[in-house]
Coordinates of all heavy atoms in Angstrom, one line a residue:
E1 N 199.4 -22.4 -7.4 CA 200.7 -22.6 -8.0 C 200.6 -22.7 -9.5 O 201.5 -22.2 -10.2 CB 201.3 -23.9 -7.5 CG 201.7 -23.8 -6.0 CD 202.0 -25.2 -5.4 OE1 201.7 -26.2 -6.0 OE2 202.6 -25.2 -4.3
V2 N 199.5 -23.3 -10.0 CA 199.3 -23.3 -11.5 C 199.2 -21.9 -12.1 O 199.6 -21.6 -13.2 CB 198.0 -24.1 -11.8 CG1 197.5 -23.9 -13.2 CG2 198.2 -25.6 -11.6
L3 N 198.7 -21.0 -11.3 CA 198.5 -19.6 -11.7 C 199.7 -18.8 -11.4 O 199.7 -17.5 -11.7 CB 197.3 -19.0 -11.0 CG 195.9 -19.6 -11.4 CD1 194.8 -19.1 -10.4 CD2 195.6 -19.3 -12.8
G4 N 200.8 -19.4 -11.0 CA 202.1 -18.6 -10.8 C 202.3 -18.0 -9.5 O 203.2 -17.1 -9.3
C5 N 201.6 -18.5 -8.5 CA 201.8 -18.0 -7.1 C 202.7 -18.9 -6.3 O 202.9 -20.0 -6.6 CB 200.4 -17.8 -6.4 SG 199.3 -16.7 -7.3
T6 N 203.2 -18.3 -5.2 CA 203.9 -19.1 -4.2 C 203.0 -19.4 -3.0 O 202.3 -18.4 -2.5 CB 205.2 -18.3 -3.7 OG1 206.0 -18.1 -4.8 CG2 205.9 -19.1 -2.7
V7 N 203.0 -20.6 -2.5 CA 202.1 -21.0 -1.4 C 202.8 -21.5 -0.2 O 203.8 -22.3 -0.4 CB 201.1 -22.0 -1.9 CG1 200.1 -22.4 -0.8 CG2 200.3 -21.5 -3.1
K8 N 202.4 -21.1 1.0 CA 203.0 -21.7 2.2 C 201.8 -22.3 3.0 O 200.8 -21.6 3.3 CB 203.7 -20.6 3.0 CG 204.3 -21.1 4.3 CD 205.1 -20.0 5.0 CE 205.8 -20.6 6.2 NZ 206.5 -19.5 7.0
M9 N 201.9 -23.6 3.3 CA 200.8 -24.2 4.0 C 201.1 -24.2 5.5 O 202.2 -24.4 6.0 CB 200.7 -25.7 3.6 CG 200.2 -25.8 2.1 SD 199.9 -27.5 1.6 CE 198.5 -27.9 2.5
H10 N 200.1 -23.9 6.3 CA 200.2 -23.8 7.8 C 199.4 -24.9 8.5 O 199.4 -25.0 9.7 CB 199.8 -22.5 8.3 CG 200.7 -21.4 7.9 ND1 201.8 -21.1 8.5 CD2 200.5 -20.5 6.9 CE1 202.4 -20.0 7.9 NE2 201.7 -19.7 6.9
A11 N 198.8 -25.8 7.7 CA 198.0 -26.9 8.3 C 197.9 -28.0 7.3 O 198.0 -27.7 6.1 CB 196.6 -26.5 8.8
G12 N 197.8 -29.2 7.7 CA 197.6 -30.3 6.8 C 196.2 -30.8 6.7 O 195.4 -30.7 7.6
D13 N 195.9 -31.3 5.5 CA 194.6 -31.9 5.3 C 194.3 -33.0 6.3 O 195.2 -33.8 6.6 CB 194.4 -32.5 3.9 CG 194.2 -31.4 2.9 OD1 193.6 -30.4 3.2 OD2 194.7 -31.5 1.7
G14 N 193.2 -33.1 6.9 CA 192.8 -34.1 7.9 C 193.0 -33.6 9.3 O 192.7 -34.3 10.3
S15 N 193.6 -32.4 9.5 CA 193.8 -31.9 10.9 C 192.6 -31.1 11.3 O 191.9 -30.4 10.5 CB 195.0 -31.0 10.9 OG 194.9 -29.9 10.0
M16 N 192.3 -31.1 12.6 CA 191.2 -30.3 13.2 C 191.7 -28.9 13.4 O 192.8 -28.7 14.0 CB 190.7 -30.9 14.5 CG 189.6 -30.1 15.2 SD 188.1 -30.0 14.2 CE 187.5 -31.6 14.5
V17 N 191.0 -27.9 12.9 CA 191.5 -26.5 12.9 C 190.5 -25.6 13.5 O 189.3 -25.9 13.4 CB 192.0 -26.0 11.6 CG1 193.1 -26.8 11.0 CG2 190.8 -26.0 10.6
E18 N 190.9 -24.6 14.2 CA 190.0 -23.6 14.8 C 189.6 -22.5 13.8 O 190.3 -22.3 12.8 CB 190.7 -23.0 16.0 CG 191.0 -24.0 17.2 CD 189.8 -24.7 17.7 OE1 188.7 -24.0 17.8 OE2 189.8 -25.9 17.9
A19 N 188.6 -21.8 14.1 CA 188.1 -20.7 13.3 C 189.2 -19.7 13.2 O 189.9 -19.4 14.2 CB 186.8 -20.1 13.9
R20 N 189.4 -19.1 12.0 CA 190.3 -18.0 11.7 C 191.8 -18.4 11.8 O 192.6 -17.5 11.7 CB 190.0 -16.8 12.6 CG 188.6 -16.3 12.5 CD 188.4 -14.9 13.1 NE 189.1 -13.9 12.2 CZ 188.6 -13.3 11.1 NH1 187.4 -13.7 10.7 NH2 189.3 -12.5 10.4
K21 N 192.1 -19.7 12.0 CA 193.5 -20.1 11.9 C 193.9 -20.0 10.5 O 193.3 -20.6 9.6 CB 193.7 -21.5 12.4 CG 195.1 -22.1 12.2 CD 195.2 -23.5 12.7 CE 196.5 -24.1 12.2 NZ 197.7 -23.4 12.7
V22 N 195.1 -19.3 10.2 CA 195.6 -19.2 8.8 C 196.0 -20.6 8.4 O 196.9 -21.2 9.0 CB 196.7 -18.2 8.7 CG1 197.3 -18.2 7.3 CG2 196.2 -16.8 9.1
L23 N 195.5 -21.1 7.2 CA 195.8 -22.4 6.7 C 196.7 -22.3 5.5 O 197.6 -23.2 5.4 CB 194.5 -23.1 6.3 CG 193.4 -23.2 7.4 CD1 192.2 -23.8 6.8 CD2 193.9 -23.9 8.6
L24 N 196.6 -21.3 4.7 CA 197.4 -21.1 3.6 C 197.8 -19.6 3.5 O 197.0 -18.7 3.7 CB 196.7 -21.4 2.2 CG 196.3 -22.9 1.9 CD1 195.7 -22.9 0.5 CD2 197.6 -23.8 1.9
E25 N 199.0 -19.3 3.1 CA 199.5 -18.0 2.7 C 199.9 -18.1 1.3 O 200.7 -19.0 0.9 CB 200.7 -17.5 3.6 CG 200.3 -17.1 4.9 CD 201.5 -16.5 5.7 OE1 202.4 -17.3 6.0 OE2 201.6 -15.3 5.9

């Protein structure tokens, strides 16, 4: 965001996630 991009989060910090799950776009 500081660099001028738009970010969409698909997971929250502290959550258990599987391999290759998209976390940020």
Side-chain angles (χ1 to χ4, degrees):
E1 289 169 351
V2 165
L3 293 169
C5 300
T6 300
V7 181
K8 184 177 182 180
M9 298 184 67
H10 292 280
D13 285 323
S15 60
M16 178 64 73
V17 296
E18 296 301 318
R20 303 195 68 84
K21 172 182 169 60
V22 174
L23 307 176
L24 293 181
E25 282 185 290

